[in-house]
Amino acid sequence: MSATEPLVLGIETSCDETGVGIVRGTTLLANVIASSMDEHARYGGVVPEVAARAHLEAMTPTLQQALAQAGVTLDELDAVAVTAGPGLAGALMVGVGAAKALAVATGKPLYGVNHLVGHVGADVLRPDGSEIDLPTVALLVSGGHTSLLLVRDLVGDVELLGETIDDAAGEAFDKVARLLGLPYPGGPQIDRAAADGDPTAIRFPRGLTLPKDMAAHRYDFSFSGLKTAVARWVERCRDEGREVPVADVAASFREAVVDVLLTKALNACRDTGVDRLLLGGGVVANARLRQVAEERCAAAGVALRIPPFDLCTDNGAMIAAVGARLVAEGHAPSDLGIAADSTLPVTTVQV
């Protein structure tokens, strides 16, 4: 085994995507994802039992495809890493169970990894090989999580600055899309509709940004009130017999979300004296978020990093990357008795 470039297989099953990735140190060898999104679309959101069953069905073929893509065998691996939490309990149990089975069958060490730290770890897999500069403020935005972190050390010192106190940003996108008659998942649909809209047409509220809120929740997020404001606006429009301007509503809603996310993230950069911001999570696929992040970071003198696009959504490669860092730095493996933890705090990098 190479001490600096361990060969690690990572498994990710925290939500609706079965991800298996293989890395050698910081080099990406395979990243295979099987999504059950289409199965959830008919329900308008992720159904935990459906997700768990889909992971069971997809695990073996996804694993085989990743090994083939990387051109390695299970015997060649130095370690197996797996998302131990946070996430959907049943979905996590499938991945943890599969990882334990692989570890026992091959005699390889097992590393239980934090899903949210994985999103930060994805940045080390850049094709150009550039290292992530630490410390960094990290803004993670996905369907289930909106978190603001201060990362001083990827596997040794991660501090939670703030998080959502109700709906995550991705959930808000899904719910507003439903209000506008757009299909699931809402993020890409809102993005598409907003392209033809005016982001200043409607001034929707920016949650937890009033002075009294900033005192108690400076780095926390709330999108429930924004979602309700959109619902009331659309309701009034229909009650008055007017056609809902979907493009303008989508653009104005998206602008409110982006404004809050980046205002709080840049506040964190300024307050901590860290002039670096890393974006991660599936919502980073939103075109407007990336555009405004680039503009506002440049104006604030903050260096912006966004992991490779295909590594922003949930995937096994980011888990393998964190696992490889744990192995390279000599961290002891996790116990084979580790359990899936749906509420695992981000400060616990390894279970």
Side-chain angles (χ1 to χ4, degrees):
M1 176 179 78
S2 167
T4 56
E5 295 196 326
L7 182 65
V8 179
L9 180 144
I11 295 175
E12 154 62 33
T13 62
S14 66
C15 192
D16 62 342
E17 284 153 326
T18 308
V20 178
I22 300 174
V23 305
R24 191 184 299 278
T26 58
T27 302
L28 178 63
L29 302 183
N31 181 33
V32 180
I33 299 170
S35 175
S36 59
M37 189 179 293
D38 291 345
E39 296 174 52
H40 301 285
R42 71 184 77 171
Y43 305 107
V46 176
V47 180
E49 292 80 3
V50 172
R53 193 177 311 117
H55 288 309
L56 277 170
E57 295 170 355
M59 183 56 67
T60 298
T62 306
L63 173 64
Q64 292 172 337
Q65 190 178 341
L67 290 167
Q69 190 177 100
V72 301
T73 65
L74 288 173
D75 288 339
E76 293 176 76
L77 298 176
D78 294 314
V80 177
V82 63
T83 296
L88 301 174
L92 288 167
M93 287 169 66
V94 176
V96 170
K100 287 180 179 180
L102 286 172
V104 170
T106 60
K108 307 297 182 182
L110 173 70
Y111 289 82
V113 171
N114 190 297
H115 170 79
L116 296 177
V117 177
H119 278 300
V120 180
D123 194 66
V124 308
L125 299 175
R126 287 171 171 268
D128 63 7
S130 63
E131 267 289 321
I132 180 173
D133 289 321
L134 298 174
T136 185
V137 171
L139 174 64
L140 307 182
V141 194
S142 66
H145 304 280
T146 305
S147 306
L148 197 53
L149 314 176
L150 175 58
V151 183
R152 299 184 184 89
D153 183 285
L154 181 61
V155 295
D157 190 351
V158 179
E159 178 185 347
L160 177 65
L161 298 176
E163 59 187 341
T164 184
I165 61 174
D166 44 52
D167 288 354
E171 289 176 289
F173 272 94
D174 289 339
K175 291 174 180 177
V176 168
R178 198 177 310 141
L179 283 170
L180 296 176
L182 301 173
Y184 175 86
Q189 300 296 334
I190 293 284
D191 219 16
R192 202 168 292 124
D196 299 320
D198 177 3
T200 64
I202 310 157
R203 174 70 185 184
F204 286 127
R206 271 66 168 160
L208 297 182
T209 58
L210 294 175
K212 64 181 180 66
D213 296 319
M214 290 294 275
H217 296 284
R218 185 166 180 78
Y219 305 126
D220 291 325
F221 302 93
S222 171
F223 297 107
S224 182
L226 170 60
K227 174 200 65 184
T228 302
V230 175
R232 296 292 84 82
W233 197 96
V234 170
E235 211 172 74
R236 279 197 305 275
C237 192
R238 287 171 177 156
D239 287 347
E240 294 167 4
R242 293 186 290 126
E243 185 179 345
V244 176
V246 172
D248 285 348
V249 174
S252 299
F253 160 75
R254 183 179 67 172
E255 200 70 5
V257 173
V258 168
D259 187 17
V260 169
L261 290 172
L262 293 174
T263 295
K264 288 180 176 273
L266 289 171
N267 280 345
C269 289
R270 184 170 59 251
D271 296 346
T272 59
V274 174
D275 58 358
R276 288 179 287 275
L277 175 63
L278 184 146
L279 298 186
V283 178
V284 175
N286 186 283
R288 183 63 177 162
L289 175 58
R290 296 197 311 277
Q291 178 192 348
V292 177
E294 289 170 0
E295 293 169 357
R296 291 181 62 173
C297 283
V302 171
L304 176 67
R305 282 178 75 100
I306 302 175
F309 195 72
D310 57 348
L311 296 178
C312 284
T313 54
D314 294 348
N315 63 86
M318 68 184 193
I319 302 304
V322 176
R325 180 65 63 90
L326 287 165
V327 174
E329 293 188 6
H331 290 257
S334 302
D335 189 276
L336 281 173
I338 64 168
D341 185 348
S342 61
T343 59
L344 184 67
V346 71
T347 48
T348 302
V349 176
Q350 180 189 355
V351 177

